[in-house]
Amino acid sequence: MYNLVSAILWLCIGALPVTAHEMWIEAPAMTSPEGHYTTPVVFIGEELEGKRYVFDPVKFEQAIWAGPETTSDLRLNTRSQGDVRLDAFGDGLHILALQSYPGKHLYPTESAFLKFVRSVGLEGRVNTAQPSVTEDGYVHESYQRYAKTLVGFDGKNQSDKRIGLEKEWVREQVGFRLYSGRKTVENQPAWLYCRPSDGGEVKTALLETDDTGLVHAELPAQSQCLLNAVMLRQQADGSWFSEWVSTFFDTK
């Protein structure tokens, strides 16, 4: 039902294999005598299988850690080298949101680029009739990545909210709503990947936002899930620009 993405996802934290594309954050909720905390890990990969990277806020254009009533810009905080622990601001849902620096990728052929378009569910959604191959023989793509993870600590306030990224998902009672700036994104394909918390096969579904930007998803219980959307458009010079928007969360 789905194809693997051939695009490379560049991130300033290191070189990546050509099959890597999705960026997500896993941040398990933990408790010590001092209080709640998490130690996030950034992943680059596909279908919830990927390479691990140590979380370092200064490697991102934005790095935001927010509780129900408090928000912190992690890039401005003084941290000792290797310190990846994030302390909670009390009880309730916390959100870690990251925005990568822009990157670039070259596709060797037009067919390789069209394979990528199909793999992210955008075949027939974007106009690929205009020539994309430039004088150097490549298809050029620029991209930006936005990742968000929901960390549930004890407490009644478990409501997701907009955190300040240009592109982001927000979990609501009836589904997930996709935002671009102040507007919602309608009729946008999105991939949902869910794996059982105790291991097992990853379940995959291709979904689509409605005319209010909302995607309705049947979520399996006791699972870790990744929801990812790719917005793609051609620029005036014939190159392409993609924006990858993900959210990672646990189900009960």
Side-chain angles (χ1 to χ4, degrees), residues 84-95:
V84 298
R85 171 170 168 156
L86 296 178
D87 292 315
F89 303 114
D91 294 338
L93 183 74
H94 282 57
I95 302 164

Side-chain angles (χ1 to χ4, degrees), residues 2-252:
Y2 56 91
N3 298 312
L4 297 180
V5 180
S6 61
I8 185 172
L9 172 60
W10 175 93
L11 187 65
C12 60
I13 53 180
L16 306 171
V18 294
T19 54
H21 55 289
E22 293 160 352
M23 178 176 82
W24 71 94
I25 318 155
E26 296 188 18
M30 293 179 278
T31 301
S32 71
E34 291 76 29
H36 303 308
Y37 71 98
T38 186
T39 54
V41 178
V42 177
F43 284 84
I44 306 294
E46 55 193 23
E47 301 176 29
L48 290 176
E49 294 290 338
K51 186 174 181 179
R52 300 165 59 100
Y53 292 89
V54 176
F55 173 62
D56 185 351
V58 300
K59 302 296 186 180
F60 296 89
E61 190 167 345
Q62 286 194 75
I64 302 170
W65 176 235
E69 299 179 359
T70 306
T71 299
S72 174
D73 183 345
L74 297 177
R75 299 181 74 253
L76 302 179
N77 292 353
T78 302
R79 306 169 65 86
S80 59
Q81 187 174 5
D83 180 12
V84 298
R85 171 170 168 156
L86 296 178
D87 292 315
F89 303 114
D91 294 338
L93 183 74
H94 282 57
I95 302 164
L96 177 59
L98 303 176
Q99 175 179 321
S100 73
Y101 284 98
K104 292 183 178 181
H105 176 64
L106 300 178
Y107 295 89
T109 64
E110 186 110 28
S111 61
F113 173 73
L114 293 177
K115 182 180 179 181
F116 154 67
V117 173
R118 291 192 298 271
S119 71
V120 294
L122 293 175
E123 185 175 22
R125 305 296 187 108
V126 294
N127 182 10
T128 56
Q130 297 298 322
S132 298
V133 178
T134 58
E135 293 182 357
D136 61 6
Y138 292 94
V139 178
H140 290 246
E141 179 204 7
S142 302
Y143 52 84
Q144 193 108 40
R145 303 296 184 259
Y146 307 86
K148 183 176 178 180
T149 190
L150 308 180
V151 188
F153 297 110
D154 295 335
K156 296 182 179 180
N157 189 340
Q158 296 292 322
S159 298
D160 193 6
K161 61 183 179 181
R162 291 220 60 186
I163 205 67
L165 299 182
E166 176 64 23
K167 305 285 190 299
E168 68 178 283
W169 289 99
V170 175
R171 186 173 186 175
E172 301 181 359
Q173 290 185 344
V174 293
F176 294 81
R177 201 175 304 276
L178 181 58
Y179 287 90
S180 175
R182 296 184 178 181
K183 298 180 179 180
T184 57
V185 182
E186 60 184 40
N187 307 126
Q188 170 66 47
W191 286 102
L192 176 67
Y193 307 102
C194 291
R195 68 180 173 215
S197 299
D198 58 357
E201 183 180 355
V202 175
K203 296 180 179 180
T204 307
L206 178 58
L207 309 173
E208 183 176 322
T209 61
D210 62 18
D211 57 4
T212 68
L214 188 70
V215 65
H216 303 272
E218 295 185 8
L219 301 174
Q222 300 296 317
S223 297
Q224 296 175 313
C225 296
L226 173 68
L227 182 62
N228 186 73
V230 180
M231 296 177 234
L232 180 68
R233 68 178 185 271
Q234 192 170 25
Q235 304 184 105
D237 62 358
S239 65
W240 291 85
F241 180 66
S242 66
E243 294 173 292
W244 300 63
V245 192
S246 75
T247 187
F248 183 87
F249 55 93
D250 295 319
T251 64
K252 296 181 179 181

